[in-house]
Amino acid sequence: KSRREKNRKTKTKQKIGKKNKMQTWYPNEDGCKEIISLFEGSLGGNNEVLKQCYSKLEEYAQNAEYCNYLAFILAMQEGVTDQIKEMVALGLKSHLDRAYNMIPRENLQYVKGIIVQCLNNPNAHIAKAIGTTISALFTLESPKNWPELFQIFVEGSASDDPILLQTIVETVSKIIEDANLDAESSFYDLVNVPSYGKPFSTLVPRFLQFCDPKGPQMLRAASLKTLNLLIYVLPSVLQEKVGDYLQTLTILIEDPFWEVRKGACEGIVALADVRKDFIMPNLEKLIDIMINATQDKNNDVALRACEFWLELLKEQEGESRARFQILEHFLQTLLPILFGLMKYGEADIMDIMPNKEIDMKINFMGGGINDDGDDDEIDTGEETFEANWTLRKCAAKAIDSMSMIYGDLVFKILQPNIEASLTAGVDWEIRESAILCLGAISVGSYQAVLPHLQVLIAFLLEQLKDEQPLIRSITCWSLSRYSSWIISCDQGQDSIFKTYLSELLRRVMDVDISVQEAACTAFSLLVSEAQEAVTPYIDDMIKVFTSVIVQYNGRSLLTLLDSIGALAQFVGDILIKNNYGPQILQPLFKKWDSMPPTERALCPLLECFNAMVEAFGPSYAPFSVETLNKSIALIHNTLNLPEPPKGEVDMRADFIIRGLDLIGGLCEALGTEVAQILDGKVLSETLLACLKVNDMHVRQFVFSLLGDLIKTCYPTIRPYMSVFLPTLVENLRICPIEADPRMTFISVGNNACWAISEMAAIAPEDIQEHLPQIVVKLVGIMKEQRIVKTVAQNVSVAIGRIGLINADLLAPSLEDFLKPWCLSLRAVQVPMEKQNAFHGLCMIVSKNPEGVIKFFPFLCDAICCYHPAPQELEEMFREIIHKLASMHGEEWPKYFSNFPMPLQNALKHRFGLN
């Protein structure tokens, strides 16, 4: 069988094309035909045939010349249908994305040469697919490896073929979208640096010409989109043409084609975002234009226009506030328009259609299943509010922003609209928009609303009982915005506070998912602000939460878990004192048991457990064994899970991380007592298995847990540290933040450093063998420029602790790390870490006092910032400072006079230094 498989693969390989002596590639005709037939076969409806075709194509894709074949097929004039060519173009893009690093340079050169010739394909769909492929390859190649591409675009943009022009414009647009727009990137150079030939100096004026209202509408829309993206790079040619660009936008904002109007709005919004100074001379005219555009009949156009108000109202340092004064003259017109847009529209109704996969409606007190779900996510949190961005939400946020700037004026203008919308008999959609508005202006216009709050809050509490779920959910949100006022009211038997809390708990038991979410979110906010004031109602809260947790699923469950976590965080002492732990935790354990190993809600559930562990501290001990066992089981179950099907989110790393983090939380909560529940062998095997996972975030949390274990129960983990320590040392590497903006590798190195530092403090004898390598790495990190502050602090503490073990090893490098060490240690807050670090440094300085001379003022400053210091350390400081001062001899007074005066005074007063 093995021989047959080998022969079959060899045969396939032989079909792939050859090169002639001139290195010009050409295909094997049979291979070409077979690939075409496989693409044709993949169009059929028979699953078995589809499977065979995809399998065979995957086999071809293993060959380095597969991309050449696909490019050749794209260029064929006969024998290939348009549908197949479009599929081949997209297949080529996919293959390049997956296999780029394994494709030889000569093959990439061939592909590039072929696909640019295909840009003028008369079929718009094929041309677009080819353009997408070109943009993907350009992003992979970078401008330095394909500098001629934009010159090809320049030449092609002189054509009168509308399909070719649109393909070029859309390809440039996609390249800009995918490109890194940072000023240090090669794409930025392509746009701005003369050595690249500045193709945009030709393309930008031509793109402006393509915006001619008399030209093809799709070309206008595509050109606008590209120019709008360029605003964020702002090449000099566009700065020079910004007047023409802005005039073009104001003309096209009335275009009959909605995509063009949308593009015009996006351009004005981009200018308001990037360069408000460009729009200031014509701001009054633009405000008039955008007020009209905000009322556009097309929802997408109106949404983009509405975003203009958000950008205009953004405050950035150094910008003139004159625009606020200009806009104020338009508020009487603009605010009622925005208020009207807060009513639910078609897009919002589509957005709130129930999602059967996640919206499980619970059945309480004999109520039936309710299908009137709501996916609309209105929340005090910015991210949730914008999760499904709509015109309604944009208008609400615009009013919110205006209230923050214009204060009470916003409420005074909108008060008639709000009052009319809250009167009896008004459609629920209009009433709902008024309730939303009350929440939006709750902060900015608070003083104007305040005299009306007694009546308004009473009205809103009644709305919590409304038959329409969307009224109930938005009322939860709006009331949450007035939590502080509700809490400040009389807390008596019939208080507003008690009524509000009771109604919220009823809404937690609502049959509608949107109401459940809104009520849980409002409850979390209320608890965070009220804290001890909720104590009399804790029994009711826990009964409600534990009754619904079994039946909650989807987003409702996430917000409920947040509420339980908030309860633990803000009233944890009361929960401990009254022994509420079992009542809360047993339902949580049951929920954990009921979840399949791939359930995404496991992550927020474990975060909730972490909140409970942190809040309960040592009092969590009765539940620690079950929590530990479940966490270890979760990690091992996850490690054994197969890779999820293509297209599904891979949650395996997240599950492992949450399990590791929860075990770490147990270590912190129980301290040294955690050793009583840990099995060192089982835990070590678990951590070693996690280190085999190819995920840096998992590794980060493994090292974090190792540090916790070393700190709290080192004897338990000691027999296995000979395996872990070399891995910690290997990962002890830190790069500057700009090289790792997401801090993935930095966090791994930082946690490795912390674990090594803890080991140096607790078990110095076990780390001696690795000290030379560790010291070289730590000193190297301190010499790096622009490392993260917390990393520098961890490394500084580690250096100090190693100084206590072996000062001779660090002494020769003292001058290399002293300055950043001193700057970092000034900010360290943990007392024992600071004491260890300074004590170790004193030991190092005693071995090499000459290494301090260059940076003596920095050492003095760091020492003066450490006050009060332990007596033993204070004496060491005094001895070192006087010794180093004496080393300057007669030059000391002159040298000392150059110290900053506050530092001179501190040294004189504390150490008698003159």
Side-chain angles (χ1 to χ4, degrees), residues 1-9:
K1 181 178 179 182
S2 174
R3 189 180 299 111
R4 284 201 303 275
E5 286 184 352
K6 184 175 179 181
N7 290 341
R8 186 175 68 249
K9 288 179 180 177

Side-chain angles (χ1 to χ4, degrees), residues 451-674:
H452 309 275
L453 273 182
Q454 194 80 32
V455 174
L456 282 174
I457 297 300
F459 172 81
L460 291 175
L461 288 171
E462 284 300 312
Q463 300 305 299
L464 287 174
K465 306 170 188 175
D466 194 88
E467 64 178 14
Q468 172 54 245
L470 296 178
I471 292 289
R472 300 198 299 273
S473 63
I474 196 60
T475 303
C476 287
W477 178 74
S478 287
L479 279 167
S480 74
R481 303 270 285 183
Y482 294 99
S483 291
S484 297
W485 184 86
I486 293 172
I487 294 164
S488 69
C489 292
D490 175 37
Q491 306 267 324
Q493 184 66 27
D494 298 317
S495 68
I496 292 176
F497 176 77
K498 180 183 177 183
T499 305
Y500 175 45
L501 184 54
S502 300
E503 287 300 329
L504 271 188
L505 291 176
R506 287 191 182 93
R507 298 288 68 79
V508 169
M509 296 187 292
D510 203 283
V511 295
D512 185 88
I513 188 171
S514 69
V515 182
Q516 296 164 11
E517 290 179 68
C520 289
T521 303
F523 177 85
S524 298
L525 184 60
L526 181 66
V527 171
S528 70
E529 293 192 24
Q531 299 191 18
E532 292 84 0
V534 303
T535 302
Y537 314 103
I538 287 181
D539 266 333
D540 294 333
M541 297 175 196
I542 292 175
K543 284 176 185 176
V544 169
F545 288 162
T546 55
S547 69
V548 300
I549 192 169
V550 180
Q551 302 177 67
Y552 264 34
N553 279 314
R555 292 194 315 273
S556 295
L557 178 61
L558 309 191
T559 50
L560 176 65
L561 293 171
D562 281 344
S563 297
I564 296 172
L567 200 63
Q569 179 182 353
F570 295 108
V571 293
D573 291 344
I574 299 167
L575 298 180
I576 295 168
K577 182 179 177 181
N578 294 282
N579 196 30
Y580 282 114
Q583 287 178 253
I584 299 173
L585 286 162
Q586 289 310 319
L588 287 173
F589 282 130
K590 286 181 181 178
K591 191 68 178 179
W592 192 342
D593 289 336
S594 71
M595 290 183 175
T598 55
E599 172 60 60
R600 296 172 73 171
L602 276 168
C603 291
L605 177 64
L606 266 65
E607 287 174 6
C608 181
F609 269 102
N610 238 329
M612 298 294 295
V613 170
E614 184 179 349
F616 276 54
S619 300
Y620 194 84
F623 317 101
S624 58
V625 173
E626 186 171 2
T627 305
L628 175 67
N629 291 340
K630 286 181 180 297
S631 298
I632 292 174
L634 170 69
I635 293 168
H636 281 284
N637 289 339
T638 304
L639 289 169
N640 293 324
L641 286 175
E643 187 175 343
K646 189 175 180 180
E648 289 189 16
V649 178
D650 190 348
M651 296 291 294
R652 290 176 298 174
D654 296 86
F655 296 154
I656 294 170
I657 286 168
R658 295 303 186 279
L660 293 170
D661 196 33
L662 186 49
I663 298 171
L666 290 172
C667 292
E668 290 186 30
L670 304 183
T672 55
E673 297 299 313
V674 77

Side-chain angles (χ1 to χ4, degrees), residues 1-16 56 58-60 62-63:
K1 181 178 179 182
S2 174
R3 189 180 299 111
R4 284 201 303 275
E5 286 184 352
K6 184 175 179 181
N7 290 341
R8 186 175 68 249
K9 288 179 180 177
T10 303
K11 185 178 180 183
T12 300
K13 197 169 184 177
Q14 287 172 348
K15 285 185 179 179
I16 299 295
K56 193 70 175 174
E58 282 296 315
E59 192 176 318
Y60 268 108
Q62 302 308 309
N63 192 289

Side-chain angles (χ1 to χ4, degrees), residues 239-361:
Q239 290 190 53
E240 294 165 5
K241 298 275 187 181
V242 74
D244 295 340
Y245 171 59
L246 188 53
Q247 185 178 4
T248 298
L249 295 175
T250 58
I251 293 171
L252 294 182
I253 208 164
E254 297 180 356
D255 196 276
F257 184 44
W258 73 267
E259 285 198 33
V260 175
R261 299 200 304 278
K262 175 185 170 185
C265 290
E266 287 172 338
I268 294 172
V269 171
L271 284 172
D273 179 17
V274 177
R275 291 289 298 270
K276 290 185 176 66
D277 55 311
F278 285 161
I279 65 172
M280 283 303 295
N282 301 294
L283 185 56
E284 290 192 21
K285 179 183 177 183
L286 279 177
I287 289 174
D288 258 332
I289 289 171
M290 297 308 283
I291 286 175
N292 289 329
T294 303
Q295 301 171 80
D296 197 283
K297 292 179 180 179
N298 183 280
N299 197 72
D300 287 339
V301 176
L303 174 57
R304 296 298 171 261
C306 193
E307 288 172 349
F308 172 75
W309 313 115
L310 300 181
E311 294 300 338
L312 190 64
L313 294 165
K314 274 185 186 175
E315 294 194 72
Q316 294 179 349
E317 191 175 345
E319 285 186 343
S320 168
R321 292 178 60 87
R323 64 187 187 279
F324 299 147
Q325 297 170 2
I326 296 171
L327 180 60
E328 186 173 350
H329 299 302
F330 294 86
L331 292 182
Q332 289 284 355
T333 302
L334 176 58
L335 282 169
I337 291 170
L338 293 174
F339 181 84
L341 294 175
M342 289 165 65
K343 177 183 172 183
Y344 269 107
E346 289 183 15
D348 303 285
I349 297 298
M350 291 298 295
D351 184 41
I352 62 176
M353 292 297 288
N355 185 328
K356 301 298 181 183
E357 189 173 320
I358 62 173
D359 294 3
M360 195 284 298
K361 304 298 183 281

